[in-house]
Amino acid sequence: MSKSVYAIVCTVVLALAATACSDYLDITPDGQSKRTDQLSTQKGVEEAMYGVYAQLRQPSLYGKELSYSALDVMAQYFQSYGNTKVNALLDYNYSHSTLRSLFQAAWTAMYANISNANSVLNSPLVADATDYPYKIYRGEALALRAMMHFDLLRIFAPQVTVAPDASGIPYATAFSLQTPEMLTADQVYDHIVSDLTTAEQLLADEAAYEGLSPYMTMRQTHLNIHAVRALLARVLLTRGHREQALSYARQVIAESGRTLLGRNELTGAYAGVLSQSETLFGIYSATDFYEAVYQDLWLATSFYSLNPTDDYQAIYDTGGATDYRLTAYYETQMTGTVRFVKLLDKYKVEGRESQRPGQMVTGINMIRLPEMYYIVAECLALGGDTEGAVKALNTVLTARGRDALAGQPTAAAIVSEVNADRRRELVGEGQQFFNMKRQNLPITTLRGAQVAPTDAVYVVPIPDIEFDYRN
């Protein structure tokens, strides 16, 4: 038995015990009959699913490190003078003990939660379900499993289009002490796409069931059908399957009912809340995400706080029209210190939570509509339709107050503009490092160094614990 798997299963117990969701949280790996009993009712399955979603907001996962913190520091968005962890991330010094601990925690927490999802998927009511409501639980659990493996793969394996046969990660499909085999990156993608396409089929008619139960409300906080298709667009683009990615992104734009925000709507749109207009999927979080953001991004504490780069304004400077995101995402405090406020819940900071509009759902935005336009623009440009690509990109640019692209730019110029706007738009969301890795782009560090796109930069080593006692 792998020491890593043993540690992960133990973590399942400890992590779930800290999440007040249900009796499901008493699951133990050697209590198979107890676990089966807890998942033998609809209520038990729903509570288990809520538990899986809740674990995503851990600080070692999307509640901090895989959103605005570690991954965005690696994307050279933030600095913190004298902060050992931040300096190691900025230098991609993955052998540093602090980063070894950070990424081991992410690896362990993610696989622990994958085990949680597998526990649901392998339960009698959900396994092979094709009827409501169990097909909804199955579809969401498959999508969650795929999403978690996808992000692990993007962190710990080479970019698949560069090295498809390179060693990837294990793809876990069971709640078990058995060690899953290590697969190639391409094999892992096969599993991810298979899980997501099955989830798409299972969730295709979910609209017919919305509002029938509490579980079928607030669908933004679930991996709903539009979020699954958006995730497929993201996955297929990363895999290099542009035509399929384009098709899914277009479908999301056309069918999700989401619209881009304008100037007067942008400030505070993602400040600890899910955008009703743009968010396709977000993780519900009442207080824990706010507390992390408040400590890391609002307070200006020496050697601790994450600070915007000195030239942060330059990426929004158009020399013409005003980019609305500059003032919506950044704020200068009374002391003159600039803070990144895109994710900061001002209702909490200012003690006026009672004034928060009732329809606002607090949480972490995981995937939003603008990304779909970027995918359409990039895929069309590289496919030879530069006119269509410009139209797609201009939809976002003009919504954000920027001048539209004019003339007849080349495909390379359009992709460059897409990358520039991705950087402006997705700050704080943990996606820019992956975007650079996907395209094998060189990196200009905050220290002015040019870093070549090598595995030493773009591939975080799998934690040693995974290989201890592996056969």
Side-chain angles (χ1 to χ4, degrees), residues 9 76 78 154 182 192 225 241 335 390 463:
V9 174
Q76 308 290 314
F78 301 112
R154 292 199 289 177
M182 196 72 70
I192 292 169
I225 182 61
H241 295 184
T335 60
V390 167

Side-chain angles (χ1 to χ4, degrees), residues 94 154-159 433 437 454-461:
Y94 302 129
R154 292 199 289 177
I155 295 169
F156 294 103
Q159 167 60 23
F433 179 77
K437 176 176 180 173
T454 64
D455 283 354
V457 171
Y458 279 133
V459 182
V460 177

Side-chain angles (χ1 to χ4, degrees), residues 159-209:
Q159 167 60 23
V160 66
T161 52
V162 175
D165 296 325
S167 181
I169 61 171
Y171 201 91
T173 59
F175 185 87
S176 169
L177 292 178
Q178 297 300 313
T179 307
E181 64 177 320
M182 196 72 70
L183 304 178
T184 67
D186 210 39
Q187 288 172 325
V188 176
Y189 270 102
D190 285 341
H191 284 288
I192 292 169
V193 173
S194 176
D195 276 354
L196 287 174
T197 52
T198 301
E200 181 190 17
Q201 294 163 9
L202 291 166
L203 297 170
D205 62 346
E206 71 169 328
Y209 312 110

Side-chain angles (χ1 to χ4, degrees), residues 96-107:
H96 194 284
S97 59
T98 303
L99 299 197
R100 287 161 64 102
S101 297
L102 185 158
F103 287 110
Q104 179 173 305
W107 176 274

Side-chain angles (χ1 to χ4, degrees), residues 63-116:
K64 178 173 178 174
E65 301 299 357
L66 304 191
S67 55
Y68 69 84
S69 188
L71 288 179
D72 267 11
V73 172
M74 290 156 66
Q76 308 290 314
Y77 275 124
F78 301 112
Q79 58 194 347
S80 183
Y81 298 110
N83 185 306
T84 300
K85 181 187 88 170
V86 171
N87 286 334
L89 287 166
L90 288 171
D91 293 336
Y92 310 105
N93 183 11
Y94 302 129
S95 63
H96 194 284
S97 59
T98 303
L99 299 197
R100 287 161 64 102
S101 297
L102 185 158
F103 287 110
Q104 179 173 305
W107 176 274
T108 303
M110 198 79 93
Y111 273 111
N113 207 31
I114 288 169
S115 287
N116 297 336

Side-chain angles (χ1 to χ4, degrees), residues 424-441:
R424 289 184 283 260
E425 179 67 33
L426 299 178
V427 55
E429 299 183 39
Q431 295 302 314
Q432 180 61 10
F433 179 77
F434 293 142
N435 182 54
M436 296 188 297
K437 176 176 180 173
R438 173 177 64 83
Q439 299 176 77
N440 206 36
L441 298 176

Side-chain angles (χ1 to χ4, degrees), residues 40-59:
S40 63
T41 66
Q42 181 180 349
K43 180 176 182 291
V45 172
E46 287 189 358
E47 289 172 337
M49 287 299 298
Y50 284 130
V52 178
Y53 282 112
Q55 290 305 303
L56 296 175
R57 63 176 185 251
Q58 294 178 68

